[in-house]
Amino acid sequence: MDGPIFGLCSVLTLLSTAIALSRSLVQHRRGSNAFPVARCAHIIALVSSFIGSLLATPAVAELADRATTTELSSLISDIAAMIFCASLQVMIIDWECEDLPHSVNIACRIAFVVVVSTLLIWQFRRANLAQLDMDLSTSYAQSEAVRTYLLTYLGFFAAAGAEVMMRASALALRMWQRGRPASTGLAVAAVGATMGVAYALSRGGYVLAYENGHAWPLALDNVISPALAGLSIVSIVSGLSMAVLSNSRRSGTLRDSVNV
């Protein structure tokens, strides 16, 4: 299922990136400076999501690994997914307020994703996958190095997804009366973030269950996890694009609604 799901996500995120870049150029020509941090974070989120989805497609991953080294595509895809989550956090935080803690909060998210990415790179090198002929997937949950890597990545993904879910839900509720299309988009994004958390819990749960000798069939995880990941990406990208485009004519809607 990975090929069709992540192939579709790649196409969607590529189109969304093109739309976001076009909109950003139009606003720049008009001299609009509304939400500059959020606009930049939105584009970074879309680009990283495209890269992560593309490299999660088996055919592309195989080509990339042949040209580089074993499972490097998985490492880059996972780091791209974390950048995607961190960019969403920054985007929503910038929408919420302009106060001093806003800058501190953004810096903390950026620092956290850098630390976890560095940790993943170290764990990747430590796993020595080329010599052991293994993948960074639940198929090789018998390896302690693979389990540690997956739990580190999925732990970050679950935590970041949970924050995006809560912040997007709260923001959607607060601005319902002032901008219903944007509020609906944020609600869809919150649902997507919920599915992202479910994906992390599904894969992480399998790893923990395997470690304790009570894992469910791997074939079931190979169906559920990619489906949840694909639905999460589609919902988040579509929802936030809806919120951004519907809010473009009223640059103060999101922030004003939160700070009433």
Side-chain angles (χ1 to χ4, degrees):
M1 289 186 64
D2 291 28
I5 289 174
F6 292 112
L8 175 62
C9 290
S10 300
V11 173
L12 175 64
T13 51
L14 181 61
L15 292 175
S16 299
T17 301
I19 293 172
L21 285 172
S22 176
R23 174 180 172 272
S24 180
L25 288 173
V26 169
Q27 288 189 326
H28 179 72
R29 290 171 184 171
R30 293 177 178 175
S32 173
N33 61 348
F35 308 122
V37 174
R39 286 211 313 269
C40 181
H42 185 211
I43 293 172
I44 292 174
L46 291 173
V47 171
S48 60
S49 181
F50 168 70
I51 293 172
S53 299
L54 186 65
L55 289 176
T57 306
V60 177
E62 185 177 354
L63 287 174
D65 290 343
R66 285 180 179 176
T68 54
T69 187
T70 303
E71 284 298 279
L72 182 61
S73 61
S74 294
L75 174 65
I76 297 174
S77 178
D78 292 342
I79 291 177
M82 293 196 304
I83 294 173
F84 172 64
C85 290
S87 299
L88 296 177
Q89 291 173 296
V90 170
M91 182 181 182
I92 295 178
I93 289 172
D94 187 56
W95 275 346
E96 288 181 339
C97 61
E98 291 181 293
D99 302 330
L100 181 60
H102 151 261
S103 300
V104 174
N105 286 338
I106 288 177
C108 287
R109 271 58 177 190
I110 295 173
F112 190 43
V113 76
V114 170
V115 170
V116 178
S117 297
T118 303
L119 181 59
L120 279 187
I121 294 171
W122 176 76
Q123 291 176 346
F124 174 81
R125 292 175 60 86
R126 176 172 168 266
N128 199 14
L129 300 170
Q131 289 189 5
L132 298 176
D133 192 26
M134 294 189 302
D135 298 336
L136 290 172
S137 68
T138 49
S139 299
Y140 293 90
Q142 71 270 20
S143 168
E144 181 183 356
V146 172
R147 291 199 304 271
T148 303
Y149 174 94
L150 289 175
L151 290 176
T152 301
Y153 161 63
L154 295 170
F156 174 90
F157 200 91
E163 182 181 14
V164 172
M165 174 188 68
M166 292 185 291
R167 287 184 179 274
S169 299
L171 194 54
L173 287 173
R174 292 179 187 181
M175 63 175 297
W176 175 250
Q177 296 298 329
R178 294 195 177 192
R180 295 195 177 184
S183 178
T184 301
L186 285 167
V188 172
V191 171
T194 304
M195 292 180 181
V197 174
Y199 156 76
L201 294 178
S202 173
R203 287 192 73 191
Y206 179 88
V207 173
L208 293 175
Y210 185 94
E211 193 169 9
N212 289 281
H214 300 290
W216 49 88
L218 180 61
L220 182 61
D221 179 70
N222 289 337
V223 171
I224 293 177
S225 294
L228 287 172
L231 288 171
S232 174
I233 294 172
V234 170
S235 298
I236 290 175
V237 170
S238 301
L240 288 181
S241 295
M242 185 190 307
V244 168
L245 293 175
S246 62
N247 189 60
S248 60
R249 297 178 182 177
R250 301 169 63 187
S251 60
T253 299
L254 288 166
R255 188 171 286 153
D256 291 345
S257 299
V258 175
N259 295 319
V260 171

